[in-house]
Coordinates of all heavy atoms in Angstrom, one line a residue:
M159 N 95.7 140.0 34.5 CA 97.0 139.9 35.1 C 97.0 140.5 36.5 O 97.5 141.6 36.7 CB 98.1 140.5 34.3 CG 98.5 139.8 33.1 SD 100.3 139.7 33.1 CE 100.5 138.1 32.4
I160 N 96.4 139.9 37.5 CA 96.3 140.4 38.8 C 97.6 140.5 39.5 O 97.9 141.5 40.1 CB 95.3 139.6 39.6 CG1 93.9 139.7 39.0 CG2 95.3 140.0 41.1 CD1 92.9 138.8 39.7
A161 N 98.5 139.5 39.3 CA 99.8 139.5 39.9 C 100.7 140.7 39.4 O 101.3 141.4 40.2 CB 100.6 138.2 39.6
L162 N 100.6 141.0 38.1 CA 101.3 142.1 37.5 C 100.8 143.4 38.1 O 101.6 144.3 38.5 CB 101.1 142.1 36.0 CG 101.7 143.4 35.3 CD1 103.2 143.2 35.2 CD2 101.0 143.5 33.9
E163 N 99.5 143.6 38.3 CA 98.9 144.7 38.9 C 99.4 144.9 40.3 O 99.6 146.0 40.8 CB 97.4 144.7 38.8 CG 96.9 144.8 37.4 CD 95.4 144.5 37.3 OE1 94.8 144.2 38.3 OE2 94.9 144.7 36.2
Q164 N 99.5 143.8 41.1 CA 99.9 143.9 42.5 C 101.3 144.4 42.6 O 101.7 145.1 43.4 CB 99.7 142.5 43.1 CG 98.3 142.1 43.3 CD 97.6 143.1 44.3 OE1 98.1 143.5 45.3 NE2 96.4 143.4 43.9
V165 N 102.2 143.8 41.7 CA 103.6 144.3 41.7 C 103.7 145.8 41.4 O 104.4 146.5 42.1 CB 104.5 143.5 40.7 CG1 105.9 144.0 40.6 CG2 104.5 142.0 41.1
L166 N 102.9 146.2 40.4 CA 102.9 147.6 40.1 C 102.4 148.5 41.2 O 102.8 149.6 41.4 CB 102.2 147.9 38.8 CG 102.9 147.4 37.5 CD1 102.0 147.5 36.3 CD2 104.2 148.0 37.3
N167 N 101.4 148.0 41.9 CA 100.8 148.7 43.0 C 101.9 148.9 44.2 O 101.9 149.9 44.8 CB 99.6 148.1 43.6 CG 98.4 148.3 42.7 OD1 98.3 149.3 42.0 ND2 97.4 147.4 42.8
C168 N 102.7 147.8 44.4 CA 103.7 147.9 45.4 C 104.9 148.7 45.1 O 105.4 149.5 45.9 CB 104.2 146.4 45.7 SG 103.0 145.4 46.6
F169 N 105.3 148.6 43.8 CA 106.6 149.3 43.4 C 106.4 150.5 42.6 O 107.3 151.3 42.3 CB 107.5 148.3 42.6 CG 108.0 147.2 43.4 CD1 107.4 145.9 43.4 CD2 109.1 147.4 44.2 CE1 107.9 144.9 44.1 CE2 109.6 146.3 45.0 CZ 109.0 145.1 44.9
G170 N 105.2 150.8 42.1 CA 104.9 151.9 41.3 C 105.1 151.6 39.8 O 105.8 150.6 39.5
S171 N 104.5 152.4 38.9 CA 104.6 152.0 37.5 C 105.6 152.9 36.8 O 105.8 152.7 35.5 CB 103.2 152.2 36.8 OG 102.8 153.5 37.0
Q172 N 106.3 153.8 37.5 CA 107.4 154.5 36.8 C 108.5 153.6 36.5 O 108.9 152.8 37.3 CB 107.8 155.7 37.7 CG 106.8 156.8 37.8 CD 107.3 157.9 38.7 OE1 108.3 157.8 39.4 NE2 106.7 159.0 38.6
E173 N 109.1 153.8 35.3 CA 110.2 152.9 34.8 C 109.8 151.4 34.9 O 110.6 150.6 35.4 CB 111.5 153.2 35.5 CG 112.0 154.6 35.3 CD 113.4 154.8 35.7 OE1 114.2 154.3 35.0 OE2 113.6 155.5 36.7
A174 N 108.6 151.1 34.4 CA 108.2 149.7 34.3 C 108.0 149.4 32.8 O 107.4 150.2 32.0 CB 106.8 149.6 35.0
Y175 N 108.6 148.3 32.3 CA 108.7 148.0 30.9 C 108.4 146.5 30.7 O 108.7 145.7 31.5 CB 110.1 148.3 30.4 CG 110.6 149.7 30.7 CD1 111.4 150.0 31.8 CD2 110.2 150.8 29.9 CE1 111.8 151.3 32.1 CE2 110.6 152.1 30.1 CZ 111.4 152.3 31.2 OH 111.8 153.6 31.5
F176 N 108.0 146.3 29.4 CA 108.0 144.9 28.9 C 109.4 144.8 28.2 O 109.9 145.7 27.6 CB 106.9 144.7 27.8 CG 107.0 143.4 27.1 CD1 106.5 142.3 27.7 CD2 107.4 143.4 25.8 CE1 106.6 141.1 27.0 CE2 107.5 142.2 25.1 CZ 107.1 141.0 25.7
Y177 N 110.0 143.6 28.4 CA 111.4 143.4 27.9 C 111.5 142.3 26.9 O 111.0 141.2 27.2 CB 112.3 143.1 29.1 CG 113.8 142.9 28.8 CD1 114.6 143.9 28.6 CD2 114.3 141.6 28.7 CE1 116.0 143.7 28.3 CE2 115.6 141.4 28.4 CZ 116.4 142.4 28.2 OH 117.8 142.2 27.9
K178 N 112.0 142.6 25.7 CA 112.2 141.6 24.7 C 113.4 141.9 23.9 O 113.6 143.1 23.5 CB 110.9 141.5 23.8 CG 111.0 140.4 22.8 CD 109.7 140.2 22.0 CE 109.8 139.0 21.1 NZ 108.5 138.8 20.4
T179 N 114.2 140.9 23.5 CA 115.4 141.1 22.7 C 115.3 140.3 21.4 O 114.4 139.4 21.3 CB 116.6 140.6 23.4 OG1 116.6 139.2 23.6 CG2 116.8 141.3 24.8
H180 N 116.2 140.5 20.5 CA 116.2 139.8 19.2 C 116.6 138.3 19.5 O 116.3 137.5 18.6 CB 117.2 140.4 18.3 CG 116.7 141.7 17.7 ND1 116.8 142.9 18.4 CD2 116.1 142.0 16.6 CE1 116.3 143.9 17.7 NE2 115.9 143.4 16.6
R181 N 117.3 138.0 20.5 CA 117.7 136.7 20.8 C 116.6 135.8 21.4 O 116.7 134.6 21.6 CB 118.9 136.7 21.9 CG 120.2 137.2 21.3 CD 121.3 137.2 22.3 NE 121.2 136.0 23.3 CZ 122.1 135.9 24.3 NH1 123.0 136.8 24.5 NH2 121.9 134.9 25.1
G182 N 115.5 136.4 21.7 CA 114.3 135.7 22.2 C 114.1 135.8 23.7 O 113.1 135.2 24.2
A183 N 114.9 136.6 24.4 CA 114.7 136.8 25.8 C 113.4 137.7 26.0 O 113.2 138.6 25.2 CB 115.9 137.5 26.4
E184 N 112.6 137.3 27.0 CA 111.4 138.1 27.2 C 111.1 138.1 28.7 O 111.2 137.0 29.3 CB 110.3 137.4 26.4 CG 109.0 138.2 26.3 CD 108.1 137.5 25.3 OE1 108.3 137.5 24.1 OE2 107.1 137.0 25.8
L185 N 110.7 139.2 29.2 CA 110.2 139.3 30.6 C 108.9 140.1 30.5 O 108.7 141.0 29.8 CB 111.2 140.1 31.4 CG 112.5 139.5 31.8 CD1 113.4 140.5 32.5 CD2 112.3 138.3 32.7
D186 N 107.9 139.6 31.4 CA 106.6 140.3 31.4 C 106.7 141.7 32.0 O 106.0 142.6 31.7 CB 105.6 139.5 32.2 CG 105.3 138.2 31.5 OD1 105.3 138.1 30.3 OD2 105.0 137.2 32.2
L187 N 107.7 141.9 32.9 CA 107.8 143.2 33.6 C 109.3 143.4 34.0 O 109.9 142.5 34.6 CB 107.0 143.2 34.9 CG 107.0 144.5 35.7 CD1 106.6 145.7 34.9 CD2 106.2 144.3 37.0
L188 N 109.8 144.5 33.6 CA 111.2 144.9 34.0 C 111.0 146.2 34.7 O 110.5 147.2 34.2 CB 112.1 145.1 32.8 CG 113.5 145.6 33.1 CD1 114.3 144.7 33.9 CD2 114.2 145.9 31.8
L189 N 111.5 146.3 36.0 CA 111.4 147.5 36.8 C 112.9 148.0 37.0 O 113.8 147.2 37.3 CB 110.8 147.3 38.1 CG 109.3 146.8 38.2 CD1 108.9 146.6 39.6 CD2 108.5 147.9 37.6
L190 N 113.1 149.3 36.8 CA 114.3 149.9 37.1 C 114.2 150.7 38.4 O 113.4 151.7 38.5 CB 114.8 150.8 36.0 CG 114.9 150.1 34.6 CD1 115.2 151.2 33.6 CD2 115.9 149.0 34.6
R191 N 114.9 150.3 39.5 CA 114.8 150.9 40.8 C 116.1 151.1 41.4 O 116.9 150.1 41.5 CB 113.9 150.1 41.7 CG 112.5 149.9 41.3 CD 111.7 151.2 41.4 NE 110.3 151.0 41.1 CZ 109.8 151.2 39.9 NH1 110.6 151.4 38.9 NH2 108.5 151.0 39.7
R192 N 116.5 152.3 41.7 CA 117.7 152.6 42.4 C 118.9 151.9 41.8 O 119.7 151.2 42.4 CB 117.6 152.2 43.9 CG 116.6 152.9 44.6 CD 116.5 152.5 46.1 NE 115.4 153.1 46.7 CZ 114.7 152.5 47.7 NH1 115.1 151.3 48.1 NH2 113.7 153.1 48.2
R193 N 119.0 152.1 40.5 CA 120.1 151.5 39.7 C 120.2 150.0 39.6 O 121.2 149.4 39.3 CB 121.5 152.1 40.1 CG 121.6 153.6 40.0 CD 123.0 154.0 40.4 NE 123.0 155.5 40.2 CZ 124.0 156.2 40.6 NH1 125.1 155.6 41.2 NH2 124.0 157.5 40.4
Q194 N 119.1 149.4 40.0 CA 119.0 147.9 40.0 C 117.9 147.6 39.0 O 116.9 148.3 38.8 CB 118.7 147.3 41.3 CG 119.8 147.4 42.3 CD 119.4 146.7 43.6 OE1 118.3 146.5 43.9 NE2 120.5 146.3 44.3
R195 N 118.0 146.4 38.4 CA 117.0 145.9 37.4 C 116.3 144.7 38.1 O 116.9 143.8 38.6 CB 117.7 145.4 36.1 CG 118.3 146.5 35.4 CD 119.0 145.9 34.1 NE 120.0 146.8 33.7 CZ 121.3 146.5 33.7 NH1 121.7 145.3 34.0 NH2 122.2 147.4 33.3
W196 N 115.0 144.8 38.1 CA 114.1 143.7 38.7 C 113.3 143.1 37.6 O 112.5 143.8 37.0 CB 113.2 144.3 39.8 CG 114.0 144.8 40.9 CD1 114.6 146.0 41.1 CD2 114.2 144.1 42.2 NE1 115.2 146.1 42.3 CE2 115.0 145.0 43.0 CE3 113.9 142.9 42.7 CZ2 115.4 144.6 44.3 CZ3 114.3 142.5 43.9 CH2 115.1 143.4 44.7
G197 N 113.4 141.8 37.3 CA 112.7 141.2 36.2 C 111.6 140.3 36.8 O 111.9 139.5 37.8
F198 N 110.4 140.3 36.2 CA 109.3 139.5 36.6 C 108.7 138.7 35.5 O 108.5 139.3 34.4 CB 108.2 140.3 37.3 CG 108.6 141.0 38.5 CD1 109.2 142.3 38.4 CD2 108.4 140.5 39.8 CE1 109.6 143.0 39.6 CE2 108.7 141.1 40.9 CZ 109.4 142.4 40.8
E199 N 108.5 137.4 35.7 CA 107.8 136.6 34.7 C 106.6 136.0 35.4 O 106.7 135.4 36.4 CB 108.8 135.5 34.2 CG 108.3 134.7 33.1 CD 108.2 135.4 31.7 OE1 108.9 136.4 31.5 OE2 107.4 134.9 30.9
F200 N 105.4 136.1 34.8 CA 104.2 135.6 35.4 C 103.7 134.4 34.6 O 103.6 134.5 33.4 CB 103.1 136.7 35.4 CG 103.6 138.0 36.1 CD1 104.1 139.1 35.4 CD2 103.5 138.0 37.5 CE1 104.5 140.2 36.1 CE2 103.9 139.2 38.2 CZ 104.4 140.2 37.5
K201 N 103.5 133.3 35.3 CA 103.0 132.1 34.7 C 101.7 131.7 35.4 O 101.5 131.8 36.6 CB 104.0 131.0 34.9 CG 105.4 131.3 34.3 CD 105.3 131.2 32.8 CE 106.7 131.4 32.2 NZ 106.7 131.7 30.8
C202 N 100.8 131.1 34.6 CA 99.6 130.6 35.1 C 99.6 129.0 34.9 O 99.1 128.5 33.9 CB 98.4 131.2 34.3 SG 96.8 130.7 35.0
T203 N 100.3 128.4 35.8 CA 100.4 126.9 35.8 C 100.6 126.4 37.2 O 101.0 127.1 38.1 CB 101.6 126.6 34.9 OG1 101.8 125.2 34.8 CG2 102.9 127.2 35.4
D204 N 100.4 125.1 37.3 CA 100.6 124.4 38.6 C 102.1 124.1 38.8 O 102.5 124.0 40.0 CB 99.8 123.1 38.6 CG 98.3 123.3 38.6 OD1 97.9 124.4 39.1 OD2 97.6 122.4 38.2
A205 N 102.9 124.0 37.8 CA 104.3 123.6 37.9 C 105.1 124.6 37.1 O 105.6 124.2 36.0 CB 104.5 122.2 37.5
P206 N 105.4 125.8 37.6 CA 106.2 126.7 36.8 C 107.6 126.2 36.7 O 108.1 125.5 37.6 CB 106.1 128.0 37.6 CG 105.7 127.6 39.0 CD 104.9 126.4 38.9
R207 N 108.3 126.6 35.6 CA 109.7 126.2 35.5 C 110.4 127.4 34.8 O 109.8 128.3 34.2 CB 109.8 125.0 34.6 CG 109.2 125.1 33.2 CD 109.4 123.8 32.4 NE 108.7 123.9 31.1 CZ 109.3 124.6 30.1 NH1 110.4 125.2 30.2 NH2 108.6 124.7 29.0
T208 N 111.7 127.3 34.9 CA 112.5 128.3 34.2 C 112.7 128.0 32.8 O 113.0 126.9 32.4 CB 114.0 128.4 34.9 OG1 113.8 128.5 36.3 CG2 114.8 129.5 34.3
S209 N 112.3 129.0 31.9 CA 112.3 128.8 30.5 C 113.7 129.3 29.9 O 114.5 130.0 30.5 CB 111.2 129.6 29.8 OG 111.4 131.0 30.0
K210 N 113.9 128.9 28.6 CA 115.1 129.3 27.9 C 115.1 130.8 27.8 O 116.2 131.4 28.0 CB 115.1 128.7 26.5 CG 116.3 129.1 25.7 CD 116.3 128.5 24.3 CE 117.5 129.0 23.5 NZ 117.5 128.4 22.2
S211 N 114.0 131.4 27.6 CA 113.9 132.9 27.5 C 114.3 133.5 28.8 O 115.0 134.6 28.8 CB 112.4 133.3 27.2 OG 112.2 134.6 27.3
M212 N 114.0 133.0 29.9 CA 114.4 133.5 31.2 C 115.9 133.4 31.4 O 116.5 134.4 31.9 CB 113.7 132.8 32.3 CG 112.2 133.1 32.3 SD 111.3 131.9 33.4 CE 111.3 132.8 34.9
H213 N 116.5 132.4 31.0 CA 118.0 132.2 31.1 C 118.7 133.3 30.2 O 119.7 133.9 30.6 CB 118.4 130.8 30.7 CG 118.1 129.8 31.7 ND1 118.8 129.6 32.8 CD2 117.2 128.8 31.7 CE1 118.3 128.6 33.6 NE2 117.3 128.1 32.9
I214 N 118.2 133.5 29.0 CA 118.8 134.5 28.1 C 118.6 135.9 28.8 O 119.6 136.7 28.7 CB 118.1 134.5 26.7 CG1 118.4 133.2 26.0 CG2 118.5 135.7 25.9 CD1 117.6 132.9 24.7
A215 N 117.5 136.2 29.3 CA 117.2 137.5 30.0 C 118.2 137.7 31.1 O 118.8 138.8 31.3 CB 115.8 137.6 30.5
L216 N 118.4 136.6 31.9 CA 119.4 136.7 33.0 C 120.8 137.0 32.5 O 121.5 137.8 33.1 CB 119.4 135.4 33.8 CG 118.3 135.2 34.8 CD1 118.3 133.8 35.3 CD2 118.4 136.2 35.9
E217 N 121.2 136.4 31.4 CA 122.5 136.7 30.9 C 122.6 138.1 30.4 O 123.6 138.8 30.6 CB 122.8 135.7 29.7 CG 123.1 134.3 30.1 CD 123.2 133.4 28.8 OE1 123.4 133.9 27.7 OE2 123.1 132.2 29.0
D218 N 121.6 138.6 29.7 CA 121.6 139.9 29.1 C 121.6 141.0 30.2 O 122.2 142.0 30.1 CB 120.4 140.1 28.2 CG 120.5 139.4 26.9 OD1 121.5 138.8 26.6 OD2 119.4 139.3 26.2
L219 N 120.8 140.8 31.3 CA 120.7 141.8 32.3 C 121.8 141.7 33.3 O 122.1 142.5 34.1 CB 119.3 141.7 33.0 CG 118.1 142.0 32.0 CD1 116.8 141.7 32.7 CD2 118.2 143.5 31.6

């Protein structure tokens, strides 16, 4: 996960979490910075798309 490592190098790894709920929402990386939540989803594909899980995470957060 080189992209994940790059994000952590830029923003730091303090308050960095994997996010998953019972409803099925999932984020590869959730950063808490200055009272804001930053969600990251990493895909290895030529045509990334927004998944149902990402929509649920947006509603929850």
Side-chain angles (χ1 to χ4, degrees):
M159 285 234 146
I160 294 173
L162 174 77
E163 292 171 356
Q164 290 296 318
V165 172
L166 290 175
N167 283 336
C168 290
F169 292 100
S171 60
Q172 292 182 343
E173 295 196 72
Y175 306 95
F176 173 75
Y177 179 81
K178 185 173 183 176
T179 67
H180 288 81
R181 289 180 36 183
E184 192 174 290
L185 289 174
D186 293 329
L187 178 61
L188 174 65
L189 296 176
L190 304 177
R191 298 289 183 270
R192 299 181 189 144
R193 297 183 181 172
Q194 292 185 337
R195 297 179 202 116
W196 295 80
F198 296 86
E199 184 72 20
F200 301 97
K201 301 288 183 195
C202 185
T203 181
D204 291 334
R207 60 180 177 77
T208 306
S209 66
K210 180 180 177 182
S211 174
M212 294 167 90
H213 287 286
I214 293 171
L216 281 170
E217 288 175 17
D218 289 349
L219 296 172

